[in-house]
Amino acid sequence: MNIFAALFANLIQRRLLANVLTIALLAIGTLSLWSLPMAEKPAIDAGEVSVSTSYPGASAEEVESNVTSKLEKELLSVSGISKFSSVSESGSSRIAITIDSNITKLEPVYQDIRDAVNRVTDLPPQVIEKPLVRVHKSSNLDFMVVGIGSQLSSKQISYKQLREQAKQLELKLRRISGVGEVNLIDLREREFWIELEPAQLSRYQLNATDIASAIADHNLLATAGNININNEQIELVAESRLDTVAKLEELPLKQQPLIRLKDVATVRYDYERQQSLSVINGERSIGFDLRAAEKADVVSTSQAVRALLTREQQRLGSDYQLAVGFDIAEEIQTRFDIVKINGVTGLILVLLVLALVLHHRIAPWVALSIPFCLLGTIAVLAAIGQILDSYTMAALILIIGIIVDDSVVVSEKISANLSEGMDITQAVIQGVQQVAPAILVSICTTIIAFLPMLWLPGSTGKLLYVLPLTISIALAFSLLDATVVVPSHLRRALNKVDSLPTKAWLTNFGEYLRPLLQFAINHPKSVIGSVLAVSILLVAMLGQRLPLVFFPDDGAYLVAISATMPANLELDQSWQLAQQIDEMLANTEEVSGWYGEVTEASGSWEVSLTPAGLRKLSANDLVQQWQQQGEAYGLDLEFDVDNGGPPGERPIDIRVIGGSDSDRQALAQDILAKLQSINGVVAPRISDAEPVAQLSADIRPDWLVQHGVSLNQVTDLLRIAIEGEHVSRLFLDGEEVRYRLVLDDNDRTPSELAQLTLPNNQGQLVKLGQLIHWKKSERKEVFEHYNGLRTLRVSSHIDANITDPIAVEAELLQAFASHEYSAEIISSSQASETINSLKSLGLALLIAIAAMAMVMMVLFDKVSVALLALLVLPAAAASALLILWLHGKPLSFFACVGIIGMTGVVVNNALVMLYHYRQMQFNANPTQWPELLLEGAISRVRPMLVTSLTTVAGLLPLAYGVGGYDNLMSPIALVIGWGMALSAPVVLMLIPAGYLLLLQRQAHSQPS
């Protein structure tokens, strides 16, 4: 111990050490702040994988049977997968996979998933490209959507011209540092269209297979090798390229008579069939979905993209329109600006408070502790490769009160020693030595309080690692600041000061509290019992009244809208309906921008909202308003609100899985009816679109056998006729061009299809009409699976002012605890995530309390004293819940983080007071103990008042959104700020009263 004391004394007496350390740390921290990448959430691997497969021309049922089910069968054999869901719709299959959160090494599981997908080798031949397996990470998600459009209706700019400019823009976007991927929306590939005429094919006794073979055989580029000509090695290439419409038209199909392709088909050089329309802020555009590179600075990357768009707009002129439909950097920058403005405002208020309560020679150095610790933490975070995100900012805000508390404790002790007549060097050194153990233990207990968050399960737990990391770094700097930097500064600042008079109003404030503290000491059991009873009662009552919404949507900035179009519409008809949604969004002043995509069957929009503090309506209010407007348009709209938490499901999200189709539908309808009867449930719905009409080809096996034709021949011919088939490809003008063989639009009727021929096993041509019989039927456009079984999704939003997801789901599951259907009910809603996270957070809190108790036992060497310090926790929890209830806030995730942080500070206050009592001399006369305890408590009024006032002053601007409202940071600021203020008097009453009981118990246990 003497070695450490000598070391501290030596450091404190070095005149330039504190100055150099402070200036260097502030400079490095400021530079790091400018260079630290900014993102919405911490860089984590969330264990989420998607598998996407394109199957052009296939119906949803065909995709489900021939693609999705085959992939899911292999995925079921992969160990480590928690769940997977899939959507099979016309032309595509999408599977979303979630890996078990207990898996620590994710890469082997990712590889197993890739291997499982690769094992599926019997996909239909029309699936040209392999299923795309993509791993999703928080650090490289889609961050921006931009587009290039033109006034296509005026015919000034053709699609060809627009596409050429879009291709150039794509290359420039890919070269921007920070852009990882550029995914194109509605940029159609070039194709040669060979549109067959059935009558001409029949006339010349040709079939589609003949045409496909002729094109493939005459479109070839092959290298034969090298030959030596005149001592020069020359490469020999065999080439036959059908690279123009004229060459294709002249392609010979028969010699006697000479029949060319132009005799049986129309050939054109065009673009692939348009499957969807891209919309940016209501204007049709070619879109670019930008994905950030690993740990890229999203804000600076967004600025680079916008600068490029500005330059390109100037180059292209007014004929083209470059627009931004979505930019997450705006939300990130807005959130950082809010924290920055409120932080600066709070810092100014802190300086004012310190100037009011501390001597003018002490206040600046205590205030300097805040930037010293915060900027030091940022410097270390930058050095270890971290990013600056919402969770990191929450941690920095959370420890402000602790930082100030440590500095105030040291400065107060030095001031007291100086007033007792010590010289400045002795006052500083002894002051640090007297409080250093208490500060060290308080810092350890605070770190311990947050360490269990490292082991919380689920996606929430993965996001939380930055909290204990950031807090531990900040508290390490707080220890350095409180024990070396502040004492060193005070040694020079107070060098010529004999004593520091206490400000009169502070002395008076302590005297005002004297009767209250005297009463608590005179009636210790009654006061302790009453405070604990009231605290527990408040916790029980408010715990029932506060809605449990882990990530409220009051500050949500992003809303996803999806619409199911009426059945059997063409793309242009769906577009006409979708324009009503674009007009609705354009007329909503809370909308800052949006992008969308429209297909024949559906439409989807991602809507960015203006900052929450500037909006008249919340995201939930807008959803209800848009829901009503959608009904007026005749559209079934579905909404998902991004609440700023980890990726998750809707507030209420019930899966009805397996069983028969009829049972599944009936059970889903019963659940929907129950949801509609619950107060506070908003827009419940079933994800089951109405069936669409279809014309089915009834193919009888006996007909096929009779004519010597296989089933595959018939289905292949039908696919070529309607959707078309790629029969060859060529690299032309720097891009791949495909050859699509298809029937002419005017010939896609049952009567014309009947004239198509196909060869039988004897080489004779058989008309299609001899093999099939047409009949009308209906089909589903979408099939959803959950863990490989068909499912229906029943979901809804909730009004947080009336109820919460947990209450709604509990009522729902209780109502269907037993039912008569063969289907099964599984919850995948936010309620499940909330319950799991709440249980884990509660367990983490219990572990933290136990660990803090053990550390304090080591410090005080007494179990009873450690338990006395924890006696303030019920009052702290009650204060926090009371603050949330009075402000109409739910019990959210960040509110829980604030409660943990606030209880840590309150325990630290109790710990410092107990350590102060331990250093006091309690004589053998019990009658003097109450007076000594009272004076000891009054001596702690000033530092606790300073801590409470500075914390409240620093956090209240953020709590109330003085410089802009932030729904994530506000609960933390409210709980810590007001919670500390309300808990401080409780600490001042409980600790002296409890310590008196301990002294009396100790006296009774000792022999006379």
Side-chain angles (χ1 to χ4, degrees):
M1 190 69 182
N2 292 332
I3 297 176
F4 289 108
L7 176 62
F8 276 114
N10 183 265
L11 292 175
I12 291 169
Q13 294 181 73
R14 290 184 176 272
R15 186 172 60 87
L16 295 178
L17 176 63
N19 290 337
V20 172
L21 187 60
T22 302
I23 294 172
L25 202 58
L26 294 181
I28 295 172
T30 303
L31 291 175
S32 300
L33 185 60
W34 285 105
S35 62
L36 200 62
M38 291 193 293
E40 183 188 20
K41 294 169 186 169
I44 63 166
D45 191 340
E48 296 177 352
V49 184
S50 65
V51 181
S52 304
T53 312
S54 177
Y55 186 7
S59 67
E61 190 170 11
E62 189 176 1
V63 171
E64 178 196 40
S65 175
N66 294 334
V67 177
T68 306
S69 294
K70 292 180 178 179
L71 293 171
E72 289 178 336
K73 181 180 178 181
E74 292 297 332
L75 289 174
L76 286 171
S77 66
V78 176
S79 175
I81 291 180
S82 171
K83 62 181 180 179
F84 59 86
S85 59
S86 66
V87 176
S88 302
E89 55 189 357
S90 299
S92 68
S93 164
R94 302 189 309 276
I95 304 176
I97 304 167
T98 302
I99 296 176
D100 190 340
S101 60
N102 294 319
I103 302 293
T104 55
K105 295 182 179 180
L106 298 176
E107 197 55 46
V109 183
Y110 293 151
Q111 188 57 49
D112 289 345
I113 292 173
R114 296 186 188 101
D115 293 342
V117 171
N118 291 333
R119 285 197 297 270
V120 181
T121 57
D122 59 340
L123 294 176
Q126 291 77 21
V127 179
I128 300 174
E129 298 179 353
K130 291 183 177 181
L132 176 63
V133 179
R134 172 174 285 173
V135 176
H136 298 273
K137 297 182 180 181
S138 65
S139 58
N140 61 346
L141 294 178
D142 303 338
F143 75 98
M144 197 173 188
V145 175
V146 302
I148 179 171
S150 67
Q151 297 294 338
L152 293 175
S153 59
S154 66
K155 304 299 182 183
Q156 293 178 354
I157 303 295
S158 65
Y159 181 79
K160 178 181 179 181
Q161 293 172 298
L162 181 64
R163 186 178 181 276
E164 286 299 320
Q165 296 299 332
K167 294 288 286 184
Q168 293 183 36
L169 182 59
E170 176 195 3
L171 294 176
K172 294 175 181 178
L173 287 169
R174 291 186 185 278
R175 287 197 291 264
I176 293 178
S177 177
V179 175
E181 294 180 29
V182 178
N183 298 313
L184 298 163
I185 308 172
D186 195 20
L187 189 138
R188 290 174 278 154
E189 301 298 333
R190 299 303 302 257
E191 288 186 346
F192 283 106
W193 283 68
I194 300 97
E195 297 176 312
L196 303 174
E197 301 174 14
Q200 292 299 95
L201 289 174
S202 178
R203 175 184 175 185
Y204 295 118
Q205 293 293 292
L206 292 169
N207 59 74
T209 305
D210 297 331
I211 311 300
S213 299
I215 295 172
D217 292 343
H218 292 82
N219 204 35
L220 181 68
L221 177 64
T223 302
N226 296 328
I227 60 174
N228 191 306
I229 300 179
N230 297 328
N231 295 322
E232 184 179 358
Q233 290 292 322
I234 298 177
E235 190 176 57
L236 186 63
V237 177
E239 180 180 18
S240 176
R241 294 164 60 90
L242 301 173
D243 53 5
T244 65
V245 172
K247 288 183 180 181
L248 272 168
E249 289 178 334
E250 296 300 321
L251 177 67
L253 303 175
K254 276 188 175 183
Q255 289 298 328
Q256 293 182 352
L258 181 60
I259 308 299
R260 299 185 184 276
L261 186 58
K262 64 182 179 182
D263 297 323
V264 297
T266 301
V267 181
R268 57 188 172 90
Y269 187 42
D270 207 335
Y271 302 93
E272 63 180 318
R273 181 179 287 122
Q274 190 166 23
Q275 303 288 345
S276 63
L277 291 169
S278 173
V279 182
I280 305 287
N281 296 333
E283 298 293 334
R284 289 175 57 175
S285 308
I286 294 176
F288 304 88
D289 186 354
L290 308 182
R291 182 179 289 255
E294 187 78 19
K295 291 190 177 181
D297 188 329
V298 173
V299 174
S300 61
T301 305
S302 167
Q303 292 170 350
V305 171
R306 287 181 178 271
L308 173 63
L309 295 181
T310 301
R311 294 194 300 270
E312 290 298 295
Q313 186 68 74
Q314 294 173 350
R315 180 181 68 83
L316 295 171
S318 59
D319 289 338
Y320 295 89
Q321 298 174 346
L322 297 172
V324 177
F326 166 69
D327 186 3
I328 199 172
E330 289 185 335
E331 170 63 19
I332 295 173
Q333 189 63 60
T334 299
R335 180 159 286 164
F336 277 79
D337 289 343
I338 288 172
V339 174
K340 181 173 64 178
I341 294 171
N342 286 321
V344 171
T345 305
L347 185 58
I348 293 172
L349 293 176
V350 168
L351 293 175
L352 291 175
V353 169
L354 291 175
L356 287 173
V357 298
L358 296 179
H359 192 277
H360 67 275
R361 291 179 178 269
I362 295 178
W365 305 115
V366 173
L368 191 61
S369 301
I370 298 175
F372 179 88
C373 295
L374 296 186
L375 290 175
T377 303
I378 289 172
V380 173
L381 290 175
I384 61 177
Q386 292 295 310
I387 60 177
L388 196 57
D389 55 81
S390 300
Y391 292 73
T392 304
M393 286 194 298
L396 293 174
I397 292 169
L398 192 146
I399 49 89
I400 288 177
I402 304 172
I403 293 171
V404 173
D405 189 29
D406 292 340
S407 299
V408 168
V409 168
V410 170
S411 63
E412 285 292 308
K413 196 62 181 177
I414 293 172
S415 177
N417 289 345
L418 195 64
S419 299
E420 291 175 1
M422 295 184 187
D423 65 86
I424 184 60
T425 300
Q426 185 183 12
V428 169
I429 293 174
Q430 288 197 14
V432 172
Q433 291 175 350
Q434 288 167 343
V435 298
I439 292 177
L440 179 60
V441 171
S442 69
I443 287 175
C444 289
T445 56
T446 305
I447 292 175
I448 288 170
F450 288 94
L451 276 182
M453 290 186 179
L454 290 173
W455 296 281
L456 290 181
S459 55
T460 303
K462 290 184 178 180
L463 291 170
L464 288 186
Y465 82 93
V466 296
L467 286 178
L469 174 65
T470 305
I471 289 170
S472 298
I473 296 171
L475 291 178
F477 277 105
S478 178
L479 179 63
L480 175 65
D481 179 68
T483 56
V484 176
V485 178
V486 168
S488 182
H489 286 308
L490 292 182
R491 179 174 172 272
R492 291 191 303 276
L494 305 178
N495 189 31
K496 298 181 179 180
V497 177
D498 294 329
S499 63
L500 294 172
T502 304
K503 297 192 176 184
W505 72 274
L506 277 177
T507 304
N508 294 336
F509 187 80
E511 292 303 317
Y512 293 148
L513 292 178
R514 182 180 289 272
L516 178 65
L517 301 181
Q518 184 73 64
F519 178 83
I521 293 172
N522 291 339
H523 307 85
K525 294 181 180 180
S526 300
V527 169
I528 292 175
S530 300
V531 170
L532 289 179
V534 171
S535 299
I536 293 171
L537 182 63
L538 276 175
V539 169
M541 291 176 55
L542 296 176
Q544 294 294 323
R545 295 197 175 198
L546 284 174
L548 285 170
V549 183
F550 248 33
F551 292 94
D553 58 12
D554 56 345
Y557 64 91
L558 193 64
V559 178
I561 305 176
S562 57
T564 302
M565 298 298 175
N568 304 309
L569 294 185
E570 295 182 353
L571 184 58
D572 286 340
Q573 293 173 310
S574 295
W575 163 244
Q576 293 299 323
L577 283 176
Q579 284 182 294
Q580 299 177 96
I581 304 299
D582 288 307
E583 184 178 357
M584 175 186 78
L585 297 175
N587 293 330
T588 305
E589 62 178 332
E590 287 83 2
V591 172
S592 62
W594 73 95
Y595 72 96
E597 190 171 2
V598 180
T599 67
E600 293 177 351
S602 64
S604 60
W605 295 262
E606 292 285 339
V607 185
S608 299
L609 304 179
T610 55
L614 304 178
R615 295 200 304 260
K616 296 179 181 177
L617 301 176
S618 68
N620 220 12
D621 295 333
L622 290 172
V623 164
Q624 296 186 46
Q625 176 181 299
W626 290 339
Q627 187 82 40
Q628 295 173 357
Q629 290 180 260
E631 293 173 358
Y633 299 148
L635 292 174
D636 182 16
L637 300 183
E638 192 171 357
F639 300 89
D640 286 295
V641 179
D642 189 333
N643 51 28
E649 305 293 345
R650 293 170 188 160
I652 302 300
D653 201 339
I654 303 297
R655 305 276 183 163
V656 184
I657 301 172
S660 65
D661 290 347
S662 58
D663 276 9
R664 194 165 52 251
Q665 186 67 44
L667 180 55
Q669 289 291 345
D670 289 350
I671 294 174
L672 179 66
K674 178 62 178 177
L675 281 175
Q676 291 170 337
S677 69
I678 299 176
N679 189 28
V681 172
V682 178
R685 69 185 306 277
I686 300 176
S687 60
D688 190 28
E690 60 178 298
V692 298
Q694 72 173 9
L695 196 62
S696 299
D698 184 15
I699 306 173
R700 298 183 181 178
D702 52 341
W703 293 354
L704 297 177
V705 173
Q706 178 183 345
H707 291 91
V709 177
S710 70
L711 180 61
N712 285 338
Q713 284 181 282
V714 176
T715 55
D716 289 347
L717 180 58
L718 287 173
R719 193 184 306 279
I720 289 174
I722 305 301
E723 178 64 24
E725 184 169 320
H726 293 127
V727 296
S728 186
R729 63 180 68 188
L730 183 70
F731 200 75
L732 185 63
D733 296 331
E735 58 182 306
E736 186 181 67
V737 178
R738 292 177 177 176
Y739 295 74
R740 181 183 293 272
L741 191 62
V742 68
L743 215 61
D744 186 270
D745 282 347
N746 298 324
D747 294 326
R748 296 175 193 169
T749 63
S751 59
E752 292 290 342
L753 290 173
Q755 301 304 313
L756 292 175
T757 60
L758 64 166
N760 65 6
N761 52 15
Q762 297 179 356
Q764 300 172 337
L765 295 179
V766 180
K767 287 189 176 182
L768 188 62
Q770 297 177 264
L771 305 172
I772 62 175
H773 171 71
W774 298 104
K775 63 179 182 181
K776 292 183 177 180
S777 63
E778 290 184 334
R779 64 177 174 86
K780 292 185 65 173
E781 284 198 303
V782 178
F783 289 96
E784 294 188 30
H785 286 190
Y786 187 87
N787 289 343
L789 299 175
R790 279 190 178 181
T791 182
L792 288 175
R793 185 183 190 186
V794 187
S795 60
S796 73
H797 295 274
I798 57 103
D799 186 344
N801 295 320
I802 299 175
T803 186
D804 60 67
I806 293 179
V808 173
E809 185 174 287
E811 182 176 349
L812 194 65
L813 295 180
Q814 183 179 2
F816 292 93
S818 60
H819 56 79
E820 58 185 7
Y821 302 107
S822 58
E824 181 184 0
I825 296 176
I826 290 182
S827 170
S828 58
S829 61
Q830 288 179 7
S832 301
E833 176 79 10
T834 299
I835 292 172
N836 293 334
S837 297
L838 195 61
K839 288 179 179 178
S840 301
L841 208 58
L843 179 61
L845 184 58
L846 290 177
I847 294 173
I849 291 173
M852 286 190 292
M854 287 188 286
V855 172
M856 287 187 289
M857 289 176 195
V858 173
L859 174 67
F860 295 110
D861 199 26
K862 287 185 179 180
V863 174
S864 57
V865 178
L867 295 179
L868 177 57
L870 299 179
L871 201 63
V872 299
L873 289 181
S879 301
L881 296 181
L882 181 61
I883 292 303
L884 292 173
W885 182 71
L886 291 175
H887 287 82
K889 300 290 184 182
L891 186 59
S892 65
F893 164 72
F894 279 102
C896 291
V897 172
I899 290 173
I900 293 176
M902 187 269 292
T903 52
V905 176
V906 173
V907 169
N908 289 344
N909 284 335
L911 188 153
V912 173
M913 179 176 284
L914 286 169
Y915 194 78
H916 176 65
Y917 282 151
R918 184 189 181 192
Q919 293 180 321
M920 294 175 62
Q921 297 296 323
F922 290 91
N923 54 37
N925 186 358
T927 59
Q928 296 181 2
W929 292 348
E931 185 63 26
L932 291 173
L933 290 169
L934 179 61
E935 295 303 322
I938 291 178
S939 69
R940 280 295 300 162
V941 168
R942 178 178 172 181
M944 289 184 64
L945 179 63
V946 173
T947 301
S948 300
L949 289 178
T950 52
T951 304
V952 170
L955 295 181
L956 288 194
L958 186 60
Y960 293 105
V962 174
Y965 179 74
D966 188 302
N967 68 311
L968 301 183
M969 302 296 111
S970 176
I972 293 180
L974 274 175
V975 167
I976 295 178
W978 284 120
M980 283 186 61
L982 294 179
S983 301
V986 176
V987 173
L988 287 171
M989 288 191 300
L990 290 185
I991 297 304
Y995 205 82
L996 177 61
L997 294 178
L998 292 180
L999 289 175
Q1000 292 173 346
R1001 179 188 172 195
Q1002 182 179 357
H1004 291 156
S1005 63
Q1006 292 177 351
S1008 302

